[in-house]
Amino acid sequence: MNDNQQPASADMQIPTQNDKINYWTSLMPKLGLALMIIGVLMSAGFSYQFKDTNLGLMIGFGFIIGGIQVLLLGSLFHALQPKFVSGSSAVPARQQVDRIHQ
């Protein structure tokens, strides 16, 4: 029936903390750009009556401003994310505790 002789967890890869942070920090600028595009399209669609009472136009402006904020924050989070030490060069926790007791 099943010709696969490997255990079920053989191909499963657990993401590291660094992978998780890279995923979310790379997603935020993309999300900000998408919000800005939605705002530009809404503003262009509702620009026939350029007044402050035009709700669609004001929502479009809000999307543009919000998209810029998300884009800037995403870029800032990406620039300030901590650089994690890879597992091979990390000092085991036991050695750190031994140094404290001596």
Side-chain angles (χ1 to χ4, degrees), residues 36-94:
M36 284 175 45
I37 290 171
I38 290 171
V40 168
L41 292 175
M42 281 189 71
S43 297
F46 288 99
S47 64
Y48 60 88
Q49 187 180 9
F50 200 80
K51 293 183 180 179
D52 61 349
T53 57
N54 188 349
L55 184 62
L57 184 65
M58 294 299 117
I59 291 174
F61 288 163
F63 269 100
I64 292 171
I65 293 170
I68 291 170
Q69 294 291 324
V70 171
L71 183 70
L72 289 175
L73 284 175
S75 299
L76 181 69
F77 290 158
H78 185 68
L80 296 178
Q81 75 178 356
K83 304 296 182 205
F84 287 99
V85 179
S86 64
S88 61
S89 64
V91 178
R94 187 165 190 252

